[in-house]
Amino acid sequence: MSHYERLKRSTIEHKNYTVVEGKTEKDILKEMRTEYEKRELKHIGPWNNKGTLPTTYVNPKEKDTINKERTISSYYKVPMRIVYKRTQKVLTWLLRTLPENYRHFTLHKIGDIKDRTAHIKEELQNTYGTDTEIIPFSSDVTAMYTHLCQTEIRRAIRWLINIHKEQKQYRTTGKKRTPRKINKNIMTLNVEEDTIEWGRGNHDGEKKSSGTKRDIITLSFDDIIRVVDMDLKFTHSKVGKTILKQKKGCPIGGILSGSYANIYCAKNEYDFLNEIGQTDINKRVQGIRQMDDLILWVSYNKKEEKTKEQAAQILNKLYNYETQETKVYTGGLNLEMQEIKYNKRRKTFKIDFAGTRIHGTTDTKTLYTTTLNKNIKHIRKYGTQKYTRYPHKETYIHDNVKRGVIIGNVMRTRTQNTHEENLIKAIQEDIEELECIGYTTEEIKGTLNRLKKKEDWRGILKQVWNTKKHKQNIRHNLQ
């Protein structure tokens, strides 16, 4: 099937889209400009006169490359790109700074997976001590963008804003001031004026040393609502010369779409935990959600049958296996169960989650993370990558970019592995993968040696190369 046929199936012929007739791209941009001025959004960001409507394309999905694809809209040239980006940063900050009593499962950075898992292990162990048993649960939130109800999106945004309005306390987060540098990316919530100040400066009314005014952008809560309303009103995109409007949900690739999905799911999760009620039962439910990947653990006392029944009821509310529906994620969303690999004899389980593998035992004695390398088995069997994680040595990509990708991926492994021996193994698998796509050992070593500038990496890299050399000697002796 050609790319255009896939694109046509996913957009022009799809029920979520309607073809716009009688209007040109210029007409729609003119309407957007009028709305932008009417809503008084200039103070948030400028209008780009050279901007265009988003361009839509499709990417085949890894699970079923023939029959399934992901429809993506590129917002890179949208006239209000800066307005959307700044609003998105503020919405993310508001979600991250929710008070602790507003529990939800959102994992804001995949780099926090190791620490988050360690915290969950501690929380679960505290429920019933040595009598604690857990039931793991893994699923995907399906159609997170395309089926999400726009009314529910607006309701979730207002829920988030109202929480911060009710707190009535100033909050400031960002990098601390250094003697020679002005603060960057500081955000301050002004509860008296219901505004958020964001940007460079001290947020105290003083001028910079150069005498110019501080570089601060101020958004009111009403501004956020106006931007969200406008974004959901103009869900137009183009496929070639055909202009489309998305009737339901929000575009994948939209600058604010990720925030909508996270905030909406966070609200549903808070309602779910709040409905469970009692604090002791509430804390027995621990979860992590990275966008549409969800993993959950519910604990019970192995000596009390009643607590096991309660755990089963909680999971049944989350997902009913008979009806295959969820009562937690509403507004067009549902859950699709994912495989959990059990070893009943050892009482262990493995769950693949957002590029990591979570290992644990049902008695909570162990719960740790390792890197999930989807290529390593394919490389050892066929000598090629199954998925393109690294650029091939012979590609025309600049060497600096290649080195940057390698170093970035290797650094990421440190945030994915709880134990050092698993970290070393993960880096060695990365080296094995790089060697199969044309990189020499000397080139890989030269690239990774740049990490030695950081003192804590020196010992790790030394162990990586020593262990690799030892394994090579064993293979040579066996031959």
Side-chain angles (χ1 to χ4, degrees):
M1 184 179 285
S2 68
H3 182 269
Y4 178 72
E5 287 173 329
R6 284 179 177 272
L7 194 54
K8 189 177 177 182
R9 180 175 70 183
S10 300
T11 55
I12 297 171
E13 296 175 353
H14 199 280
K15 62 181 181 180
N16 274 9
Y17 291 86
T18 182
V19 176
V20 178
E21 296 177 352
K23 289 183 180 180
T24 64
E25 181 179 2
K26 191 175 181 181
D27 294 333
I28 295 168
L29 290 174
K30 188 176 180 181
E31 288 179 20
M32 287 179 68
R33 178 67 182 265
T34 303
E35 198 76 20
Y36 165 83
E37 291 172 351
K38 181 182 175 182
R39 293 173 186 265
E40 299 178 349
L41 303 175
K42 189 176 179 179
H43 66 284
I44 304 174
W47 175 273
N48 181 5
N49 290 320
K50 295 181 180 180
T52 63
L53 290 178
T55 303
T56 298
Y57 62 96
V58 292
N59 277 342
K61 289 188 176 181
E62 290 179 359
K63 292 179 182 178
D64 188 354
T65 56
I66 304 297
N67 300 310
K68 291 185 178 181
E69 55 273 337
R70 184 174 284 106
T71 309
I72 303 171
S73 296
S74 172
Y75 270 58
Y76 185 74
K77 292 186 178 180
V78 171
M80 288 178 58
R81 181 167 172 261
I82 294 175
V83 175
Y84 290 152
K85 282 188 75 174
R86 287 174 176 170
T87 306
Q88 183 266 335
K89 284 183 179 291
V90 169
L91 284 173
T92 301
W93 181 76
L94 288 174
L95 182 61
R96 294 188 70 161
T97 56
L98 275 177
E100 289 183 5
N101 57 314
Y102 286 88
R103 284 186 61 211
H104 55 92
F105 305 139
T106 309
L107 182 70
H108 297 285
K109 290 193 303 180
I110 194 61
D112 294 336
I113 182 72
K114 180 177 71 174
D115 296 334
R116 181 75 170 267
T117 306
H119 174 73
I120 285 174
K121 177 187 174 185
E122 187 179 332
E123 289 289 319
L124 290 170
Q125 286 176 336
N126 287 339
T127 53
Y128 297 110
T130 55
D131 294 328
T132 304
E133 288 281 331
I134 56 172
I135 305 173
F137 175 92
S138 178
S139 72
D140 282 348
V141 183
T142 60
M144 180 173 264
Y145 297 97
T146 52
H147 289 174
L148 195 56
C149 175
Q150 293 186 358
T151 304
E152 294 295 333
I153 291 172
R154 291 184 174 93
R155 190 172 292 145
I157 299 293
R158 291 186 182 277
W159 166 80
L160 179 67
I161 287 172
N162 288 336
I163 291 169
H164 286 276
K165 279 184 176 181
E166 291 168 4
Q167 294 305 305
K168 293 298 179 186
Q169 62 182 39
Y170 283 86
R171 277 192 302 285
T172 301
T173 58
K175 296 180 181 179
K176 294 182 179 179
R177 181 180 173 84
T178 57
R180 296 185 181 182
K181 292 183 180 179
I182 298 293
N183 285 348
K184 299 171 77 174
N185 295 328
I186 304 293
M187 284 199 184
T188 302
L189 175 63
N190 187 329
V191 293
E192 291 178 359
E193 299 178 8
D194 283 341
T195 59
I196 296 149
E197 297 176 342
W198 170 52
R200 302 168 186 264
N202 298 319
H203 293 236
D204 55 5
E206 295 181 0
K207 294 182 179 181
K208 293 182 184 178
S209 56
S210 60
T212 58
K213 290 183 179 179
R214 58 192 182 141
D215 185 14
I216 298 294
I217 296 160
T218 302
L219 283 84
S220 68
F221 289 138
D222 290 337
D223 287 336
I224 294 171
I225 297 296
R226 283 196 290 270
V227 173
V228 169
D229 284 340
M230 186 166 177
D231 181 45
L232 294 176
K233 181 179 180 179
F234 291 96
T235 54
H236 298 78
S237 62
K238 55 185 180 179
V239 176
K241 293 182 180 180
T242 305
I243 297 175
L244 303 169
K245 188 177 191 312
Q246 188 169 332
K247 296 184 290 184
K248 193 175 181 181
C250 51
I252 298 176
I255 296 168
L256 288 165
S257 297
S259 293
Y260 296 155
N262 268 334
I263 294 167
Y264 178 71
C265 287
K267 179 184 181 299
N268 282 337
E269 288 153 7
Y270 168 73
D271 291 341
F272 166 59
L273 293 170
N274 203 37
E275 193 174 326
I276 292 172
Q278 301 173 34
T279 307
D280 57 332
I281 298 178
N282 190 305
K283 288 191 175 181
R284 286 166 49 190
V285 182
Q286 297 292 331
I288 307 172
R289 180 182 47 74
Q290 168 66 18
M291 295 308 293
D292 60 348
D293 291 333
L294 174 69
I295 184 170
L296 206 74
W297 296 271
V298 182
S299 66
Y300 65 92
N301 190 329
K302 62 184 180 183
K303 293 181 179 179
E304 295 179 15
E305 191 63 27
K306 182 183 175 182
T307 60
K308 190 173 182 178
E309 290 173 3
Q310 288 174 340
Q313 288 170 3
I314 290 168
L315 287 174
N316 189 61
K317 183 175 177 60
L318 184 66
Y319 184 77
N320 189 313
Y321 287 88
E322 292 181 3
T323 61
Q324 295 186 344
E325 291 179 350
T326 176
K327 293 181 181 178
V328 177
Y329 299 99
T330 56
L333 304 184
N334 204 357
L335 297 178
E336 182 180 304
M337 301 306 297
Q338 299 300 307
E339 182 187 9
I340 300 176
K341 298 172 184 176
Y342 280 103
N343 185 320
K344 291 183 180 179
R345 185 173 62 85
R346 296 182 179 180
K347 294 185 176 181
T348 62
F349 60 85
K350 295 178 184 178
I351 304 173
D352 295 344
F353 177 82
T356 62
R357 177 164 283 170
I358 299 178
H359 308 251
T361 54
T362 55
D363 60 4
T364 70
K365 287 182 180 178
T366 61
L367 193 65
Y368 64 95
T369 60
T370 60
T371 300
L372 174 62
N373 189 330
K374 294 181 179 180
N375 280 335
I376 198 64
K377 287 184 180 179
H378 198 271
I379 287 167
R380 289 170 181 171
K381 189 173 182 179
Y382 301 106
T384 58
Q385 287 179 310
K386 187 176 182 180
Y387 307 108
T388 307
R389 290 180 67 237
Y390 291 105
H392 197 282
K393 177 67 172 67
E394 300 304 320
T395 57
Y396 290 103
I397 298 172
H398 196 281
D399 286 347
N400 285 346
V401 177
K402 292 175 186 173
R403 282 193 287 266
V405 172
I406 293 168
I407 290 172
N409 275 341
V410 170
M411 289 182 71
R412 193 175 297 114
T413 59
R414 191 164 191 181
T415 65
Q416 296 172 328
N417 290 276
T418 305
H419 306 303
E420 193 171 283
E421 59 267 27
N422 293 324
L423 169 61
I424 291 164
K425 181 184 175 184
I427 296 172
Q428 286 171 344
E429 287 179 353
D430 281 345
I431 292 169
E432 191 176 340
E433 186 170 347
L434 290 166
E435 287 174 340
C436 93
I437 55 174
Y439 295 88
T440 65
T441 303
E442 289 71 26
E443 287 171 330
I444 299 167
K445 204 167 188 175
T447 299
L448 295 184
N449 279 345
R450 294 168 182 246
L451 288 170
K452 286 187 176 180
K453 293 178 182 179
K454 298 188 176 185
E455 190 175 340
D456 52 346
W457 272 97
R458 292 173 192 166
I460 293 168
L461 291 176
K462 188 177 179 181
Q463 288 186 66
V464 168
W465 293 111
N466 286 345
T467 311
K468 181 174 171 58
K469 188 176 180 181
H470 178 64
K471 286 181 178 179
Q472 287 173 342
N473 290 337
I474 291 172
R475 287 197 197 102
H476 179 73
N477 292 334
L478 288 172
Q479 291 172 354

PDB file of all heavy atoms in Angstrom, residues 347-366:
ATOM      1  N   LYS A 347       7.496 -16.816  41.461  1.00  0.00           N
ATOM      2  CA  LYS A 347       6.642 -15.676  41.804  1.00  0.00           C
ATOM      3  C   LYS A 347       7.230 -14.355  41.309  1.00  0.00           C
ATOM      4  O   LYS A 347       7.225 -13.338  42.006  1.00  0.00           O
ATOM      5  CB  LYS A 347       6.401 -15.607  43.318  1.00  0.00           C
ATOM      6  CG  LYS A 347       5.596 -16.779  43.862  1.00  0.00           C
ATOM      7  CD  LYS A 347       5.277 -16.590  45.332  1.00  0.00           C
ATOM      8  CE  LYS A 347       4.396 -17.725  45.851  1.00  0.00           C
ATOM      9  NZ  LYS A 347       4.041 -17.553  47.273  1.00  0.00           N
ATOM     10  N   THR A 348       7.761 -14.401  40.090  1.00  0.00           N
ATOM     11  CA  THR A 348       8.347 -13.194  39.495  1.00  0.00           C
ATOM     12  C   THR A 348       7.517 -12.769  38.285  1.00  0.00           C
ATOM     13  O   THR A 348       6.745 -13.546  37.738  1.00  0.00           O
ATOM     14  CB  THR A 348       9.795 -13.447  39.040  1.00  0.00           C
ATOM     15  OG1 THR A 348       9.809 -14.471  38.031  1.00  0.00           O
ATOM     16  CG2 THR A 348      10.672 -13.852  40.203  1.00  0.00           C
ATOM     17  N   PHE A 349       7.695 -11.510  37.887  1.00  0.00           N
ATOM     18  CA  PHE A 349       7.016 -11.011  36.686  1.00  0.00           C
ATOM     19  C   PHE A 349       7.923 -10.008  35.975  1.00  0.00           C
ATOM     20  O   PHE A 349       8.821  -9.402  36.570  1.00  0.00           O
ATOM     21  CB  PHE A 349       5.668 -10.358  37.027  1.00  0.00           C
ATOM     22  CG  PHE A 349       5.776  -9.173  37.951  1.00  0.00           C
ATOM     23  CD1 PHE A 349       6.048  -7.895  37.474  1.00  0.00           C
ATOM     24  CD2 PHE A 349       5.601  -9.340  39.328  1.00  0.00           C
ATOM     25  CE1 PHE A 349       6.142  -6.812  38.331  1.00  0.00           C
ATOM     26  CE2 PHE A 349       5.691  -8.256  40.196  1.00  0.00           C
ATOM     27  CZ  PHE A 349       5.966  -6.992  39.695  1.00  0.00           C
ATOM     28  N   LYS A 350       7.701  -9.851  34.666  1.00  0.00           N
ATOM     29  CA  LYS A 350       8.408  -8.874  33.845  1.00  0.00           C
ATOM     30  C   LYS A 350       7.375  -8.113  33.017  1.00  0.00           C
ATOM     31  O   LYS A 350       6.486  -8.713  32.418  1.00  0.00           O
ATOM     32  CB  LYS A 350       9.398  -9.560  32.902  1.00  0.00           C
ATOM     33  CG  LYS A 350      10.549 -10.270  33.590  1.00  0.00           C
ATOM     34  CD  LYS A 350      11.426 -10.960  32.557  1.00  0.00           C
ATOM     35  CE  LYS A 350      12.535 -11.769  33.231  1.00  0.00           C
ATOM     36  NZ  LYS A 350      13.370 -12.479  32.222  1.00  0.00           N
ATOM     37  N   ILE A 351       7.529  -6.795  32.989  1.00  0.00           N
ATOM     38  CA  ILE A 351       6.604  -5.959  32.218  1.00  0.00           C
ATOM     39  C   ILE A 351       7.421  -4.992  31.364  1.00  0.00           C
ATOM     40  O   ILE A 351       8.277  -4.269  31.877  1.00  0.00           O
ATOM     41  CB  ILE A 351       5.665  -5.152  33.141  1.00  0.00           C
ATOM     42  CG1 ILE A 351       4.895  -6.091  34.084  1.00  0.00           C
ATOM     43  CG2 ILE A 351       4.695  -4.320  32.323  1.00  0.00           C
ATOM     44  CD1 ILE A 351       4.081  -5.367  35.134  1.00  0.00           C
ATOM     45  N   ASP A 352       7.161  -4.992  30.055  1.00  0.00           N
ATOM     46  CA  ASP A 352       7.812  -4.035  29.158  1.00  0.00           C
ATOM     47  C   ASP A 352       7.037  -2.729  29.196  1.00  0.00           C
ATOM     48  O   ASP A 352       5.821  -2.711  28.970  1.00  0.00           O
ATOM     49  CB  ASP A 352       7.854  -4.582  27.733  1.00  0.00           C
ATOM     50  CG  ASP A 352       8.716  -5.837  27.624  1.00  0.00           C
ATOM     51  OD1 ASP A 352       9.493  -6.091  28.557  1.00  0.00           O
ATOM     52  OD2 ASP A 352       8.603  -6.563  26.621  1.00  0.00           O
ATOM     53  N   PHE A 353       7.775  -1.639  29.468  1.00  0.00           N
ATOM     54  CA  PHE A 353       7.090  -0.360  29.684  1.00  0.00           C
ATOM     55  C   PHE A 353       7.953   0.790  29.185  1.00  0.00           C
ATOM     56  O   PHE A 353       9.025   1.062  29.747  1.00  0.00           O
ATOM     57  CB  PHE A 353       6.794  -0.181  31.186  1.00  0.00           C
ATOM     58  CG  PHE A 353       6.160   1.138  31.536  1.00  0.00           C
ATOM     59  CD1 PHE A 353       4.793   1.320  31.388  1.00  0.00           C
ATOM     60  CD2 PHE A 353       6.920   2.193  32.009  1.00  0.00           C
ATOM     61  CE1 PHE A 353       4.208   2.524  31.718  1.00  0.00           C
ATOM     62  CE2 PHE A 353       6.345   3.398  32.343  1.00  0.00           C
ATOM     63  CZ  PHE A 353       4.981   3.569  32.192  1.00  0.00           C
ATOM     64  N   ALA A 354       7.514   1.436  28.096  1.00  0.00           N
ATOM     65  CA  ALA A 354       8.138   2.675  27.597  1.00  0.00           C
ATOM     66  C   ALA A 354       9.653   2.577  27.480  1.00  0.00           C
ATOM     67  O   ALA A 354      10.378   3.432  27.982  1.00  0.00           O
ATOM     68  CB  ALA A 354       7.755   3.840  28.512  1.00  0.00           C
ATOM     69  N   GLY A 355      10.124   1.524  26.811  1.00  0.00           N
ATOM     70  CA  GLY A 355      11.562   1.386  26.576  1.00  0.00           C
ATOM     71  C   GLY A 355      12.344   0.792  27.729  1.00  0.00           C
ATOM     72  O   GLY A 355      13.568   0.681  27.656  1.00  0.00           O
ATOM     73  N   THR A 356      11.644   0.416  28.801  1.00  0.00           N
ATOM     74  CA  THR A 356      12.307  -0.234  29.935  1.00  0.00           C
ATOM     75  C   THR A 356      11.596  -1.551  30.232  1.00  0.00           C
ATOM     76  O   THR A 356      10.487  -1.783  29.759  1.00  0.00           O
ATOM     77  CB  THR A 356      12.267   0.639  31.208  1.00  0.00           C
ATOM     78  OG1 THR A 356      10.906   0.843  31.582  1.00  0.00           O
ATOM     79  CG2 THR A 356      12.939   1.980  30.998  1.00  0.00           C
ATOM     80  N   ARG A 357      12.251  -2.388  30.996  1.00  0.00           N
ATOM     81  CA  ARG A 357      11.627  -3.632  31.467  1.00  0.00           C
ATOM     82  C   ARG A 357      11.622  -3.583  32.991  1.00  0.00           C
ATOM     83  O   ARG A 357      12.663  -3.399  33.614  1.00  0.00           O
ATOM     84  CB  ARG A 357      12.382  -4.846  30.956  1.00  0.00           C
ATOM     85  CG  ARG A 357      11.836  -6.168  31.464  1.00  0.00           C
ATOM     86  CD  ARG A 357      12.359  -7.334  30.641  1.00  0.00           C
ATOM     87  NE  ARG A 357      11.660  -7.415  29.359  1.00  0.00           N
ATOM     88  CZ  ARG A 357      12.042  -8.213  28.360  1.00  0.00           C
ATOM     89  NH1 ARG A 357      13.121  -8.970  28.496  1.00  0.00           N
ATOM     90  NH2 ARG A 357      11.360  -8.249  27.239  1.00  0.00           N
ATOM     91  N   ILE A 358      10.430  -3.738  33.568  1.00  0.00           N
ATOM     92  CA  ILE A 358      10.286  -3.704  35.026  1.00  0.00           C
ATOM     93  C   ILE A 358      10.193  -5.139  35.534  1.00  0.00           C
ATOM     94  O   ILE A 358       9.334  -5.910  35.103  1.00  0.00           O
ATOM     95  CB  ILE A 358       9.053  -2.893  35.444  1.00  0.00           C
ATOM     96  CG1 ILE A 358       9.197  -1.444  34.947  1.00  0.00           C
ATOM     97  CG2 ILE A 358       8.872  -2.914  36.957  1.00  0.00           C
ATOM     98  CD1 ILE A 358       8.016  -0.557  35.249  1.00  0.00           C
ATOM     99  N   HIS A 359      11.118  -5.506  36.429  1.00  0.00           N
ATOM    100  CA  HIS A 359      11.170  -6.837  37.020  1.00  0.00           C
ATOM    101  C   HIS A 359      10.696  -6.745  38.464  1.00  0.00           C
ATOM    102  O   HIS A 359      10.972  -5.761  39.158  1.00  0.00           O
ATOM    103  CB  HIS A 359      12.608  -7.378  37.032  1.00  0.00           C
ATOM    104  CG  HIS A 359      13.293  -7.313  35.698  1.00  0.00           C
ATOM    105  ND1 HIS A 359      13.577  -8.428  34.952  1.00  0.00           N
ATOM    106  CD2 HIS A 359      13.767  -6.253  34.978  1.00  0.00           C
ATOM    107  CE1 HIS A 359      14.196  -8.070  33.841  1.00  0.00           C
ATOM    108  NE2 HIS A 359      14.319  -6.752  33.839  1.00  0.00           N
ATOM    109  N   GLY A 360      10.007  -7.772  38.930  1.00  0.00           N
ATOM    110  CA  GLY A 360       9.578  -7.759  40.319  1.00  0.00           C
ATOM    111  C   GLY A 360       9.107  -9.121  40.787  1.00  0.00           C
ATOM    112  O   GLY A 360       8.982 -10.067  40.006  1.00  0.00           O
ATOM    113  N   THR A 361       8.867  -9.206  42.078  1.00  0.00           N
ATOM    114  CA  THR A 361       8.275 -10.399  42.679  1.00  0.00           C
ATOM    115  C   THR A 361       6.957  -9.999  43.315  1.00  0.00           C
ATOM    116  O   THR A 361       6.802  -8.856  43.767  1.00  0.00           O
ATOM    117  CB  THR A 361       9.199 -11.009  43.748  1.00  0.00           C
ATOM    118  OG1 THR A 361       9.537  -9.994  44.714  1.00  0.00           O
ATOM    119  CG2 THR A 361      10.477 -11.551  43.129  1.00  0.00           C
ATOM    120  N   THR A 362       6.020 -10.922  43.360  1.00  0.00           N
ATOM    121  CA  THR A 362       4.691 -10.593  43.882  1.00  0.00           C
ATOM    122  C   THR A 362       4.682 -10.318  45.377  1.00  0.00           C
ATOM    123  O   THR A 362       3.700  -9.801  45.907  1.00  0.00           O
ATOM    124  CB  THR A 362       3.695 -11.732  43.564  1.00  0.00           C
ATOM    125  OG1 THR A 362       4.221 -12.969  44.084  1.00  0.00           O
ATOM    126  CG2 THR A 362       3.480 -11.862  42.066  1.00  0.00           C
ATOM    127  N   ASP A 363       5.791 -10.641  46.075  1.00  0.00           N
ATOM    128  CA  ASP A 363       5.875 -10.330  47.509  1.00  0.00           C
ATOM    129  C   ASP A 363       6.583  -8.998  47.763  1.00  0.00           C
ATOM    130  O   ASP A 363       6.896  -8.665  48.918  1.00  0.00           O
ATOM    131  CB  ASP A 363       6.579 -11.458  48.273  1.00  0.00           C
ATOM    132  CG  ASP A 363       8.003 -11.700  47.770  1.00  0.00           C
ATOM    133  OD1 ASP A 363       8.471 -10.946  46.882  1.00  0.00           O
ATOM    134  OD2 ASP A 363       8.645 -12.651  48.250  1.00  0.00           O
ATOM    135  N   THR A 364       6.839  -8.229  46.709  1.00  0.00           N
ATOM    136  CA  THR A 364       7.447  -6.877  46.735  1.00  0.00           C
ATOM    137  C   THR A 364       8.887  -6.847  47.253  1.00  0.00           C
ATOM    138  O   THR A 364       9.409  -5.767  47.521  1.00  0.00           O
ATOM    139  CB  THR A 364       6.606  -5.869  47.560  1.00  0.00           C
ATOM    140  OG1 THR A 364       6.691  -6.201  48.952  1.00  0.00           O
ATOM    141  CG2 THR A 364       5.171  -5.841  47.113  1.00  0.00           C
ATOM    142  N   LYS A 365       9.529  -8.022  47.399  1.00  0.00           N
ATOM    143  CA  LYS A 365      10.920  -8.006  47.871  1.00  0.00           C
ATOM    144  C   LYS A 365      11.839  -7.378  46.834  1.00  0.00           C
ATOM    145  O   LYS A 365      12.858  -6.771  47.176  1.00  0.00           O
ATOM    146  CB  LYS A 365      11.379  -9.429  48.210  1.00  0.00           C
ATOM    147  CG  LYS A 365      10.763  -9.974  49.489  1.00  0.00           C
ATOM    148  CD  LYS A 365      11.272 -11.370  49.808  1.00  0.00           C
ATOM    149  CE  LYS A 365      10.644 -11.902  51.095  1.00  0.00           C
ATOM    150  NZ  LYS A 365      11.098 -13.282  51.403  1.00  0.00           N
ATOM    151  N   THR A 366      11.503  -7.558  45.570  1.00  0.00           N
ATOM    152  CA  THR A 366      12.284  -6.915  44.500  1.00  0.00           C
ATOM    153  C   THR A 366      11.351  -6.197  43.537  1.00  0.00           C
ATOM    154  O   THR A 366      10.260  -6.672  43.229  1.00  0.00           O
ATOM    155  CB  THR A 366      13.118  -7.952  43.703  1.00  0.00           C
ATOM    156  OG1 THR A 366      12.221  -8.901  43.103  1.00  0.00           O
ATOM    157  CG2 THR A 366      14.111  -8.666  44.584  1.00  0.00           C
TER     158      THR A 366
END
